[in-house]
Amino acid sequence: MNPYLEILRPGNAIMAVIAIFLMAIISGKFTLEVLMAAVVVFLVTGAGNSINDYFDHKIDAINKPQRPIPSGRISLRGALIYSISLFAVGIIIAFAINLLLGIIALSSSLLMIYYARDLKTKCLIGNLSISFLTGLCFVFGGIAVEQIAVSIYLGFYAFLMTVAREIVKDMEDQEGDKEEGATTLPIVYGNRTSSLLAALFMIIASVTSPILYFMGVFSVFYLPVLFLAIVIFLYSAMSILKDQSMENSGKISKRIKLGMAITFVAFAVGSPFLWSLLY
C-alpha cells in the first residue's frame, strides 16, 4: 500500500465514514451535505491517524515497526505537513456545510492533536477521548441529516465499544508504551483490572443494545444481526478475562472491531426507512 494512504489507516477512516452513511440510511436523506460530511470525516480521521503516528514514531518502532514512519517510508516532517494539510481541508469543507459542523470538525481536530501528543499515554483519559471522537462521528452525521437524537443513541454505543477496544489495545501495546513512560491503564493498574473494565464495557453494550428496537429506533430485523455481534462481544469479554496475554489481547482487539462492524450492519438492516423502500 502507498505509505501516504497507509498512514491514514483507511480501514479505520472508512469505519468512521460508515457512521455518516448509516445516519443517511436511517433518516432516508441522501444529500450533497451527507457526501461532504463523509469526506470531512474521512479526511479528519485520516489526519488524526497520521498525526498519531507522528507523535508515536518511537513507540511504533518497538510495537509496530512496519508502519510508514518507523519503516522510513515517510519522514517525520512529511507526516506532520501531510496531517496538518488534511485537517485544514476537512475543516474548510465542514464550515462550507454549516457553522455547527465546522466548529465540531475544528474542535475534533484540536482534540485529536492533543490526544496524539499528550492524552494517549494518560491512564484511561486517552481511551475515553478517542472513544468520544468515535461516537461523535454519528452525531456529526446526525446533524447533517437532522436526526440528532438518534445519532446520540448510536454514538453512545460506538463509544462503549471503542472504550473496550482501546483498553485491550493498551494491554497489547504495553512493551512499547513502557519504553516511552506512558501511564496507560494496564501499566498503572495491571492487566487484570484492565480486562475487567474492558469486559464491563462490552457486557453493558451487549445487554443494553436491544433497547434501540424497543425504543422504535430500529425494526425487528435489527435484532438477528445484533445477536451475532453480541455473541462476539460476550465471547471476547470472557476471553480477555481468562487470558490477558499480549497475544490474546491482539486477537480480542480484532474481534471487537469485527463486532463493531457487524453492529453497524445491524443498524443499517434495522433501519425503518430501508424496509419502507422494500415493502
Side-chain angles (χ1 to χ4, degrees):
M1 186 183 297
N2 182 285
Y4 284 94
L5 178 60
E6 183 182 342
I7 201 171
L8 301 181
R9 294 180 214 168
N12 288 349
I14 290 172
M15 285 282 283
V17 169
I18 287 173
I20 306 298
F21 290 125
L22 282 174
M23 290 310 306
I25 292 172
I26 292 168
S27 67
K29 295 181 180 179
F30 302 91
T31 63
L32 177 61
E33 286 76 13
V34 169
L35 182 59
M36 293 172 68
V39 172
V40 170
V41 168
F42 183 85
L43 291 175
V44 172
T45 301
N49 290 332
S50 180
I51 201 70
N52 187 70
D53 279 11
Y54 170 80
F55 286 109
D56 272 5
H57 68 279
K58 291 183 180 179
I59 294 177
D60 286 342
I62 299 170
N63 290 334
K64 297 180 175 72
Q66 75 280 4
R67 283 187 172 172
I69 296 175
S71 66
R73 289 176 291 150
I74 296 180
S75 68
L76 268 179
R77 178 180 172 81
L80 179 61
I81 294 173
Y82 186 48
S83 302
I84 293 173
S85 300
L86 292 174
F87 276 129
V89 173
I91 292 168
I92 291 170
I93 296 174
F95 273 109
I97 303 173
N98 63 51
L99 179 61
L100 180 56
L101 290 182
I103 292 173
I104 292 175
L106 175 59
S107 302
S108 298
S109 298
L110 293 175
L111 179 55
M112 285 182 182
I113 295 170
Y114 185 37
Y115 164 81
R117 193 190 70 176
D118 296 314
L119 295 182
K120 184 178 180 180
T121 59
K122 304 300 181 184
C123 181
L124 200 56
I125 296 176
N127 304 131
L128 296 176
S129 298
I130 202 67
S131 302
F132 169 76
L133 288 168
T134 301
L136 192 60
C137 290
F138 281 96
V139 179
F140 196 85
I143 294 172
V145 299
E146 300 177 338
Q147 288 280 344
I148 299 177
V150 173
S151 71
I152 291 174
Y153 299 147
L154 304 192
F156 172 70
Y157 283 102
F159 169 83
L160 291 178
M161 292 182 284
T162 305
V163 171
R165 183 167 184 264
E166 287 296 310
I167 293 173
V168 172
K169 282 171 60 183
D170 281 349
M171 293 170 64
E172 179 188 8
D173 292 340
Q174 283 184 79
E175 184 179 344
D177 290 343
K178 287 178 180 177
E179 289 291 330
E180 284 298 300
T183 55
T184 60
L185 188 68
I187 293 174
V188 176
Y189 293 102
N191 281 342
R192 183 60 181 170
T193 298
S194 300
S195 67
L196 285 169
L197 193 56
L200 178 63
F201 277 101
M202 284 186 268
I203 291 169
I204 291 174
S206 299
V207 171
T208 63
S209 53
I211 199 174
L212 295 178
Y213 161 70
F214 297 102
M215 291 174 62
V217 175
F218 295 119
S219 71
V220 69
F221 301 102
Y222 163 69
L223 295 177
V225 182
L226 178 68
F227 178 75
L228 178 57
I230 289 175
V231 170
I232 292 174
F233 288 131
L234 293 181
Y235 176 78
S236 298
M238 290 186 291
S239 180
I240 199 65
L241 288 173
K242 183 179 179 181
D243 179 3
Q244 294 99 43
S245 66
M246 183 185 301
E247 185 177 348
N248 191 51
S249 297
K251 293 178 181 178
I252 297 302
S253 176
K254 292 176 182 177
R255 285 179 192 151
I256 295 173
K257 194 172 183 179
L258 174 61
M260 291 175 68
I262 294 173
T263 301
F264 290 171
V265 173
F267 291 164
V269 170
S271 168
F273 172 76
L274 181 64
W275 287 99
S276 71
L277 295 178
L278 299 176
Y279 295 97

